[in-house]
Amino acid sequence: MYDTVRGWIREARHIAVLTGAGMSAESGVPTFRDSQSGLWARFDPQELATEAAFRAHPQRVWDWYAHRREMIARVAPNAGHVALAAFARRHPGRLTLITQNVDGLHQRAGNTDALALHGNIAEDRWLEAPSACCQPDTIEAGHPPRCPVCGNLRRPGVVWFGENLPAVALEAAEHAVSHCDLMLVIGTSGEVYPAAGLAFTAHQSGARVVIINPEPTPLDVVAEQCLRAPAAVCLPSLMA
Ligand code: BV8
């Protein structure tokens, strides 16, 4: 099975890769499926990762992201991130990396052109459209920080549930999966759309789909091969 997939990778003209939280699991970043640790055990990410939650409880949501940022600042890309970045470097233009992850680990490993469908947790932006008074150098610290003149809040630069994905990244991802001959779907439960839909688009466009995930997912129906293995364990040999 591994030799078959290795052969498909060797022959592929263009490979599209979609990654999810499982890609960062071996870096020590808990996945969304994992029960939230400690303080956050009683909150459901799908409740917290929304604009409504932020407007209703700005401090709680801000502190949840601050907690996740501190944890992500302490971790490093794993062997899986490194293997994908090394392949992309050795074969310029042959691999398009699409990620649902907001942890920036693919970018830190070297995939600086990764299509970050759900944004980046390290970035902030204004909650309301900024006025002339909303200047980066006068932001008042706080939980969340705000404009001292009009009170406009800073919010994490991620895509919340119910928000549209960045159109440029999504279009580039749709294009990549419609024109690839192989798609690797790594470490995602395949439950969040429109990202999960990319696997179906690849399949309908005639690409082979390979899933790398220790567990079954709803996307398995379009997979020609499912490698039941952790990403950091199998990617280094697959992408060699
Ligand atoms: C949208 C950033 C158009 C934030 C994230 C009602 C109203 C509005 C929208 C909807 C609605 N009903 C449905 C929707 C669509 C909704 C959606 O899909 N909901 C789901 C829950 C049904 N989608 C949206 O809202 C999207 N926007 O549709 O806009 C629109 C606009 C208005 C109105 C309607 C539609 C926006 C979705 C983006 C949300 N933001 N992240 C933040 O991070 O705080 S999503 C977030 O959760 C992650 O980014 C990621 O995408 C997702 C978690 O999924 P996974 O990455 O797959 O991770 P998970 O933990 O689930 O699974 C890990 C997997 O790894 C497991 O399978 C496990 O087995 C595996 N694994 C574990 N260890 C390893 C491993 N694999 C390999 N190796 C290992 N070692």
Side-chain angles (χ1 to χ4, degrees), residues 40-238:
W40 306 102
R42 64 184 187 285
F43 296 119
D44 169 1
Q46 276 160 28
E47 295 305 310
L48 284 179
T50 64
E51 183 180 335
F54 183 70
R55 287 184 181 277
H57 312 287
Q59 168 144 9
R60 179 191 300 169
V61 176
W62 179 265
D63 287 349
W64 181 53
Y65 281 91
H67 165 75
R68 289 171 61 193
R69 281 172 174 167
E70 281 155 27
M71 174 202 34
I72 287 167
R74 288 196 301 271
V75 303
N78 61 51
H81 295 106
V82 171
L84 288 170
F87 184 94
R89 214 175 13 258
R90 283 198 312 272
H91 304 278
R94 268 187 70 204
L95 183 144
T96 301
L97 183 70
I98 305 157
T99 189
Q100 301 172 84
N101 300 339
V102 297
D103 56 32
L105 289 176
H106 283 301
Q107 295 87 336
R108 281 175 52 192
N111 280 109
T112 48
D113 55 355
L115 298 172
L117 296 183
H118 296 157
N120 189 322
I121 199 168
E123 291 158 14
D124 288 342
R125 62 169 187 256
W126 293 108
L127 176 64
E128 314 296 352
S131 312
C133 56
C134 304
Q135 291 302 322
D137 51 353
T138 59
I139 292 172
E140 185 179 281
H143 298 242
R146 67 185 57 226
C147 169
V149 176
C150 70
N152 195 359
L153 299 179
R154 297 293 281 173
R155 55 156 287 176
V158 297
V159 178
W160 279 329
F161 287 99
E163 293 185 327
N164 288 316
L165 276 59
V168 171
L170 183 56
E171 274 158 32
E174 296 277 2
H175 182 268
V177 299
S178 306
H179 295 84
C180 68
D181 33 10
L182 177 64
M183 179 172 185
L184 307 179
V185 178
I186 308 170
T188 181
S189 58
E191 290 175 13
V192 174
Y193 283 78
L198 295 169
F200 293 92
T201 304
H203 179 67
Q204 280 145 21
S205 307
R208 277 195 177 111
V209 176
V210 172
I211 288 183
I212 297 173
N213 191 325
E215 304 292 330
T217 81
L219 306 181
D220 293 5
V221 291
V222 295
E224 200 156 327
Q225 289 282 359
C226 290
L227 305 181
R228 293 281 176 248
V233 168
C234 72
L235 280 172
S237 62
L238 272 186

